[in-house]
Amino acid sequence: MLNLTRPAMAALALVLASPAGVSACGLGCSAELSLPPAHVEGHGQPLVDLTLTATLTNNDKPVSGVDVEFLALGPDGILLGSATTGPDGTARLTADNALGPDSIRGHKATSWTTYAARVAVIQSSEQAADTICAEQATAPFEFVP
């Protein structure tokens, strides 16, 4: 069994996902991921809904069908989940009754200061694979219980 490090797996995914084994990143990638700031009010409820969005464009046009991963950053950072971009290029991560002071895998949401999104390394289409060179985007995140 082949044992690859995470960077080696990412490099291999780039080669396999690109036509003729050439990485789209080396061809002047213009894919861009953007995030709005997130502010969630708990209003004293033990759990509230969490919705995050990220928009992916390539040459200023929305890109659909791309898997985007969302992460909470801060002292207790975690992977929140993933969503696929729609026709408008926007990925929406929605989780009902998912956010509370200790509600996501024991990590305190009040300690998060930033959230991020990144295009997943492995994609299922050539168009999506061409966007993996988009840089990770970050935005402020605030949860007020």
Side-chain angles (χ1 to χ4, degrees), residues 68-81:
V68 174
E69 299 173 329
F70 291 85
L71 305 101
L73 304 178
D76 292 320
I78 60 168
L79 178 64
L80 297 170

Side-chain angles (χ1 to χ4, degrees), residues 3-123:
N3 187 9
L4 297 174
T5 63
R6 189 172 182 98
M9 287 176 18
L12 179 60
L14 287 173
V15 171
L16 294 176
S18 300
V22 178
S23 168
C25 295
L27 301 175
C29 178
S30 57
E32 184 177 342
L33 194 59
S34 60
L35 301 176
H39 178 84
V40 180
E41 293 279 342
H43 301 287
Q45 299 297 316
L47 294 173
V48 295
D49 297 345
L50 173 65
T51 302
L52 299 173
T53 61
T55 302
L56 180 65
T57 57
N58 197 6
N59 290 318
D60 295 322
K61 295 179 183 161
V63 182
S64 64
V66 176
D67 292 327
V68 174
E69 299 173 329
F70 291 85
L71 305 101
L73 304 178
D76 292 320
I78 60 168
L79 178 64
L80 297 170
S82 64
T84 303
T85 58
D88 61 352
T90 300
R92 289 172 182 80
L93 177 68
T94 303
D96 294 337
N97 296 317
L99 188 60
D102 293 310
S103 66
I104 298 182
R105 295 185 216 143
H107 296 270
K108 291 185 181 287
T110 53
S111 68
W112 303 347
T113 57
T114 308
Y115 80 106
R118 63 184 177 211
V119 174
V121 174
I122 297 177
Q123 296 290 334

